[in-house]
Amino acid sequence: MTIRWQSAVALGTAVAATVIALPQATTNPPRTDVQVSVQPEQLSVVGLPCLPGNLTLTMTNTGTEDRYADLTLDPSGPLQLSRELFSSWLPAVDPDQPVSAPVDVRVPRDTQPGNYSMELEVDKSKLTVPVTVNPLPSKGPGSNVALGEQASASSTHGNFALCGAVDGDNDTEHWDTLTGWNDGTRAVFPDNYDVALAAPTTINRVELYTLDSKQYPAPTNGLRDWDVQVRKGTGDWQTVSQVRGNTLGHVTSTFDPVEADAVRILCLAGNGNTYSRIVELEVYGS
Ligand SMILES: [Ca+2]
């Protein structure tokens, strides 16, 4: 009997404490010792699968205690994010030590151009990032039909971006900013880099830009031997051009017009026998 009576008292105390605590919790101001920033502050994207908009998220602990923080990202409408959570340990140090993470923003090809937004939240404090969806670039005669289309590869080196070789930047001096593809299997060949076209397209020319910067010239770092292949409706790959012994940064391959739904660079050897490196792959029709 005595034991039951004590339990009842303990339970009653706990309930009472909870009831009192609730109003306090809801009136506590949010912690504001984590500063959030995003670069750029607003973003423009198009509905191409391999041309994401890139944001850099940064959290800084401006308080006096080490802590974890969760930055949540809430996209509106058609926006697709490579992450919707950025969690990090944030030491309280002087000077402040910012911690950053990238996020890719994509939209489907059929997205209505217009203005959208995403909301970032830490500790109940919010930041809105405006995102403008622009119309798809024209891919009429004479334009590069590989631009921003879905790339895939046998492997990709961890420091490099798969989509870097279809991002529209063919300047080899930009290699350090990851605007190129580098395979992930050193001294092992073959490798392949593929681009799926938006629709079956009649093509007759491929422009390949391999690594050829002042610091990393093509004769020691560029792609040496490769086949240009096209995929036809049957799913079979057909070689339409071969390049051997290359030491240049930019190589044009022309071939008889062929309808293809994908293009592959079958990398057979690299100068220096290290990696397959493509700064940009461009595909054109007649
Ligand atoms: Ca590029």
Side-chain angles (χ1 to χ4, degrees), residues 61-111:
N61 184 351
T62 57
T64 53
E65 290 177 22
D66 297 347
R67 58 167 292 193
Y68 278 102
D70 291 332
L71 169 58
T72 57
L73 300 95
D74 184 16
S76 75
L79 305 185
Q80 300 165 348
L81 310 183
S82 58
R83 66 166 77 220
E84 294 191 5
L85 177 65
F86 169 32
S87 293
S88 182
W89 174 245
L90 301 174
V93 289
D94 188 15
D96 291 336
Q97 193 177 80
V99 178
S100 294
V103 56
D104 291 346
V105 182
R106 289 178 168 82
V107 292
R109 191 183 294 272
D110 60 359
T111 300

Side-chain angles (χ1 to χ4, degrees), residues 238-253:
Q238 176 191 337
T239 298
V240 292
S241 184
Q242 295 185 319
V243 178
R244 297 292 184 268
N246 173 61
T247 56
L248 302 175
H250 175 200
V251 177
T252 299
S253 298

Side-chain angles (χ1 to χ4, degrees), residues 56 89 220:
T56 301
W89 174 245
T220 47

